[in-house]
């Protein structure tokens, strides 16, 4: 089709697929096309309805099975090396290299409104700005917390006996060891994560995309909300942009993309496992949340 789109049937819904960018495994140049190509704008423009997501009612129905998220819902990421970064997209993601982490635990789910409510009730910390009368929006108890700063995130993790993950730990937990582009593999699929291209238009309850889990079993490491990490923005060793950019010592790294990050990335895909975001620690908005990590005592 000259428009670059074609209909494809899935087991859950009919979706419109951009045949220019999404039919086959995304190569580096295809990823770049999503940020610039005019033929992609009709499905990647914020507000477009060309991507018809799986009915949100199905997401909410699955949430009934999940129940209350517990602070003990964590997975163990073993020690060892993995592939970090990517050579064929943005300069700040270069160079692709091998990193090592000690074993650590990390939350299976993003921290929820309900969990954060317990924190502010006990500590008398001011609630996020989208809450009314010290309560999160109705029916959003298991949605990820948003409108939190890096300091809010750090302090919540400390309150539950944990910490924020480093940028390196986060990417390993999201990506695994094989250098995949997305938590689920190498092909973008708007039905496997809550991204701008899914056009859900809001956060979704955590754990609603089991097909989008990472190799270690983490949910929502692509989309839903960006996640604060403990790391300051720094260039990778051998980076082509060692000075300037966001590497001034003022910015913390966020990972994972969100449901509403289209304008920041010019409607490109920011749900990639190696994608990096940078903001000052006091920043808060409707697309910023977090999950916690924890050290594992080494024998």
């Amino acid at each position: 089709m000259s428009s670059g789109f074609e209909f494809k049937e899935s087991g859950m819904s009919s979706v419109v697929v951009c045949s220019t960018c999404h039919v086959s495994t995304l190569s580096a140049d295809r990823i770049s096309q999503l940020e610039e190509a005019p033929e992609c704008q009709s499905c990647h423009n914020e507000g477009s309805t060309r991507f018809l997501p799986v009915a949100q009612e199905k997401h909410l129905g699955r949430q009934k099975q999940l129940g209350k998220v517990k602070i003990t819902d964590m997975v163990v990421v073993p020690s060892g090396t993995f592939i970090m970064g990517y050579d064929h997209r943005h300069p700040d993601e270069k160079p692709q290299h091998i990193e090592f982490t000690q074993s650590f635990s990390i939350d299976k789910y993003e921290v929820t409104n309900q969990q954060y409510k317990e924190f502010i009730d006990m500590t008398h910390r001011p609630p996020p700005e989208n809450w009314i009368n010290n309560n999160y929006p109705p029916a959003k108890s298991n949605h990820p917390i948003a409108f939190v700063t890096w300091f809010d995130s750090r302090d919540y993790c400390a309150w539950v006996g944990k910490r924020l993950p480093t940028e390196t730990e986060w990417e390993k937990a999201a990506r695994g060891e094989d250098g995949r582009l997305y938590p689920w593999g190498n092909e973008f699929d708007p039905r496997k994560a809550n991204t701008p291209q899914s056009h859900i238009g809001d956060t979704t309850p955590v754990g609603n995309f089991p097909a989008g889990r990472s190799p270690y079993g983490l949910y929502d490491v692509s989309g839903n909300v960006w996640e604060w990490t403990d790391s300051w923005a720094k260039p990778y060793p051998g980076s082509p942009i060692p000075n300037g950019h966001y590497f001034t010592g003022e910015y913390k790294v966020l990972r994972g993309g969100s449901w509403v990050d289209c304008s920041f990335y010019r409607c490109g895909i920011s749900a990639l496992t190696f994608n990096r975001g940078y903001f000052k620690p006091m920043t808060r908005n409707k697309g910023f949340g977090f999950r916690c990590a924890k050290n594992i005592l080494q024998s």
Side-chain angles (χ1 to χ4, degrees), residues 32-293:
S32 297
Q33 281 183 14
L34 285 173
E35 302 190 358
E36 303 290 349
E39 63 268 24
C40 294
Q41 295 306 303
S42 55
C43 76
H44 292 287
N45 254 344
E46 193 164 10
S48 167
T49 56
R50 280 196 174 272
F51 273 126
L52 304 178
V54 179
Q56 199 164 2
E57 290 79 10
K58 291 186 178 180
H59 296 315
L60 297 175
R62 190 181 297 126
Q63 179 61 24
K64 294 176 182 177
Q65 301 175 22
L66 182 60
K68 181 180 177 181
V69 177
K70 304 178 181 67
I71 63 171
T72 54
D73 288 334
M74 304 185 77
V75 301
V76 173
V77 178
S79 63
T81 59
F82 75 104
I83 299 170
M84 187 171 185
Y86 194 67
D87 284 337
H88 306 291
R89 203 174 73 132
H90 301 320
D92 64 304
E93 298 161 353
K94 301 176 182 178
Q96 182 171 294
H97 57 287
I98 301 298
E99 279 285 356
F100 173 85
T101 69
Q102 297 287 355
S103 57
F104 62 96
S105 296
I106 189 167
D107 289 347
K108 185 183 296 186
Y109 308 105
E110 294 164 326
V111 172
T112 66
N113 285 316
Q114 187 176 50
Q115 290 175 309
Y116 198 78
K117 172 91 166 92
E118 296 173 3
F119 169 59
I120 64 172
D121 284 349
M122 292 292 293
T123 62
H124 305 292
R125 197 181 196 93
E129 61 187 62
N130 64 325
W131 291 21
I132 299 175
N133 296 327
N134 209 44
N135 278 303
Y136 47 78
K140 287 194 172 183
S141 62
N142 269 6
H143 284 235
I145 187 66
F147 289 102
V148 287
T149 68
W150 178 87
F151 297 102
D152 295 330
S153 307
R154 177 200 64 183
D155 293 350
Y156 171 88
C157 289
W159 184 71
V160 296
K162 303 179 187 180
R163 58 173 175 79
L164 286 172
T166 66
E167 179 182 18
T168 303
E169 289 173 333
W170 192 99
E171 185 167 332
K172 182 176 182 180
R175 194 175 194 179
E177 300 176 4
D178 58 7
R180 61 184 58 194
L181 303 183
Y182 303 96
W184 55 83
N186 289 319
E187 184 174 348
F188 180 67
D189 189 337
R191 297 162 296 175
K192 292 183 178 179
N194 180 10
T195 71
Q197 295 79 22
S198 308
H199 291 286
I200 293 172
D202 197 358
T203 56
T204 48
V206 300
N208 276 285
F209 294 90
R213 284 176 295 180
S214 82
Y216 296 109
L218 276 68
Y219 290 81
D220 299 304
V221 276
S222 283
N224 221 6
V225 290
W226 283 92
E227 299 176 16
W228 288 107
T229 73
D230 190 53
S231 300
W232 292 101
K234 294 180 180 179
Y236 295 149
S239 170
I241 47 171
N243 299 307
H245 196 58
Y246 290 99
F247 306 140
T248 60
E250 303 173 84
Y251 299 91
K252 286 290 187 179
V253 177
L254 296 98
R255 289 303 203 101
S258 81
W259 66 274
V260 62
D261 57 359
C262 198
S263 60
F264 187 78
Y265 278 93
R266 295 170 295 162
C267 298
I269 296 176
S270 57
L272 293 148
T273 55
F274 49 81
N275 183 68
R276 309 173 80 190
Y278 316 96
F279 283 86
K280 292 185 177 180
M282 286 302 296
T283 308
R284 56 168 63 90
N285 70 37
K286 59 187 176 182
F288 286 9
F290 65 101
R291 75 180 73 217
C292 303

